[in-house]
């Protein structure tokens, strides 16, 4: 027989560990903070180990508490997902994807009709994702740029985040070599200030100081490049479709790894869910398709 000790206490502990307080757990469980504290204390007595260190105005997980929570949270997530599947009407098939705005607009949405043609009964919903947004409890999966280190999640690589300058064809005609970047307006992205210096060092031009308009997101910077405002640092796969269509060109052959990759993130139990499994098969196949060869104008060289 399974040895399940005091499930209410386990729920109270997991919620307190995840929210960081008895008060936060109480709001989630619709009980008072004092009730959560009592249930956690009873659980600790029954387990014979301390799960929290009670400090002034905060809770700190013990080593045993961290180990217990790391196992409990995926179990509760899986239980919630299973319950949602069982109680949902048979005709409702929803896939919720946590994804950043730029990735959705520049790569995923333009290809979504392909997935819809294969799986017309699955309703795809986008929710705000991005590197700084934690993985949502209601997400079927997420797409993020990073190093692959997301504890508790499976991370499957989709693309390498390679960097190369891009601009409209008329600006590219004056760019015969990377040293010609000293004059033009270099469009920057606020949350990725390292992109231009990384590429310029690889091009043996570390003394060039990128100057030009700065935007908060890649999508804004690339739209500015399409509108002829200057030269943006493009990152795959955001630039693939613009290069293929000729809206942007890559003046130089040099492409530099950003040191990060795009990953498909999901909880391990999601592989048992048919809708996510269908999406996973599709996106892995779509990501494996070679990018269109960039169009260039003028000589492609990395001499300076």
């Amino acid at each position: 027989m399974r040895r399940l000790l005091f499930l209410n206490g386990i729920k109270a502990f997991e919620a307190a560990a995840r929210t960081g307080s008895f008060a936060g757990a109480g709001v989630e469980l619709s009980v008072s903070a004092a009730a959560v504290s009592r249930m956690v204390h009873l659980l600790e007595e029954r387990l014979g180990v301390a799960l929290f260190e009670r400090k002034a105005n905060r809770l700190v997980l013990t080593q045993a508490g961290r180990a217990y929570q790391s196992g409990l949270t995926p179990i509760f997530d899986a239980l919630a997902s299973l319950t949602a599947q069982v109680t949902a009407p048979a005709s409702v098939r929803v896939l919720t994807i946590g994804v950043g705005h730029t990735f959705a607009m520049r790569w995923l949405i333009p290809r979504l009709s392909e997935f819809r043609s294969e799986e017309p009964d699955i309703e795809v919903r986008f929710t705000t994702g991005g590197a700084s947004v934690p993985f949502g409890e209601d997400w079927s999966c997420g797409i993020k740029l990073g190093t692959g280190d997301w504890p508790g999640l499976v991370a499957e690589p989709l693309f390498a985040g390679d960097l190369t300058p891009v601009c409209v064809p008329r600006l590219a005609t004056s760019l015969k070599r990377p040293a010609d970047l000293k004059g033009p307006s270099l469009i920057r992205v606020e949350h990725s200030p390292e992109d231009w210096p990384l590429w310029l060092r690889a091009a043996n031009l570390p003394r060039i100081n990128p100057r030009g308009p700065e935007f908060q997101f890649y999508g804004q910077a690339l739209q500015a490049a399409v509108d002829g405002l200057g030269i943006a640092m493009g990152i795959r796969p955001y630039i693939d479709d613009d290069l293929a269509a000729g809206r942007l060109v890559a003046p130089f052959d040099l492409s530099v790894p950003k040191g990060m990759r795009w990953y498909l993130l999901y909880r391990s139990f999601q592989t048992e869910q048919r809708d996510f499994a269908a999406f996973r098969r599709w996106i892995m196949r779509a990501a494996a398709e070679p990018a269109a060869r960039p169009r260039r104008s003028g000589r492609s060289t990395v001499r300076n």
Side-chain angles (χ1 to χ4, degrees):
M1 293 181 63
R2 293 188 179 93
R3 185 170 177 247
L4 297 177
L5 294 173
F6 191 32
L7 286 176
N8 284 339
I10 292 174
K11 284 177 58 181
F13 161 72
E14 191 277 335
R18 183 165 35 79
T19 62
S21 70
F22 291 145
V27 170
E28 184 174 304
L29 300 175
S30 299
V31 298
S32 67
V36 174
S37 178
R38 285 195 299 272
M39 286 189 284
V40 172
H41 181 68
L42 286 171
L43 176 64
E44 289 175 316
E45 287 186 339
R46 297 186 186 191
L47 293 176
V49 296
L51 300 173
F52 287 116
E53 294 179 31
R54 276 77 166 173
K55 296 184 178 291
N57 299 320
R58 66 191 181 102
L59 295 173
V60 177
L61 285 163
T62 64
Q63 183 176 355
R66 287 194 298 273
Y68 205 26
Q69 192 232 340
S70 68
L72 284 175
T73 296
I75 291 171
F76 281 122
D77 287 342
L79 181 60
S81 178
L82 178 61
T83 302
Q85 288 184 70
V86 170
T87 57
S91 60
V92 177
R93 299 174 61 187
V94 177
L95 188 77
T96 302
I97 305 171
V99 61
H101 174 78
T102 303
F103 191 98
M105 295 296 293
R106 290 200 156 254
W107 191 87
L108 186 53
I109 291 175
R111 290 161 177 77
L112 200 59
S113 61
E114 300 170 10
F115 176 68
R116 294 278 294 165
S117 67
E118 295 180 14
E119 300 288 345
D121 295 331
I122 298 177
E123 179 183 333
V124 177
R125 297 178 183 174
F126 291 155
T127 188
T128 302
S132 62
V133 179
F135 195 93
E137 293 183 15
D138 61 334
W139 293 10
S140 305
C141 60
I143 299 171
K144 288 181 180 286
L145 178 67
T147 59
D149 183 22
W150 287 278
L153 297 172
V154 179
E156 289 193 88
L158 294 173
F159 309 94
D162 294 336
L163 301 168
T164 192
V166 293
C167 61
V168 293
R170 66 173 174 80
L171 291 181
T173 58
S174 63
L175 301 175
K176 305 303 182 185
R177 55 182 184 170
D180 293 334
L181 291 171
K182 292 178 181 178
S185 175
L186 303 184
I187 300 170
R188 298 166 296 148
V189 177
E190 180 184 342
H191 66 77
S192 293
E194 74 285 353
D195 287 356
W196 270 112
L198 181 65
W199 191 90
L200 290 167
R201 284 196 300 271
N204 298 316
L205 295 167
R207 295 185 179 179
I208 290 184
N209 184 20
R211 296 181 182 276
E214 183 177 80
F215 296 91
Q216 187 174 6
F217 301 113
Y218 278 115
Q220 297 166 334
L222 291 173
Q223 185 58 52
V226 169
D227 291 336
L229 194 60
I231 302 160
M233 181 55 65
I235 180 172
R236 280 215 64 216
Y238 292 168
I239 57 176
D240 289 357
D241 292 345
D242 284 327
L243 291 174
R247 290 185 293 270
L248 293 174
V249 296
F252 313 111
D253 283 321
L254 181 61
S255 181
V256 177
K258 184 177 172 66
M260 299 181 182
R261 299 183 69 90
W262 296 97
Y263 290 88
L264 177 68
L265 303 182
Y266 57 91
R267 300 182 182 92
S268 58
F269 66 81
Q270 300 284 163
T271 56
E272 304 299 323
Q273 300 177 357
R274 60 173 183 165
D275 295 344
F276 168 72
F279 179 76
R280 176 176 171 269
R281 286 193 300 270
W282 172 80
I283 196 170
M284 298 303 291
R285 186 173 70 246
E289 294 176 357
R293 186 174 181 177
R295 299 183 183 182
R296 293 180 171 85
S297 178
R299 288 184 295 165
S300 299
T301 176
V302 293
R303 297 195 308 273
N304 56 40

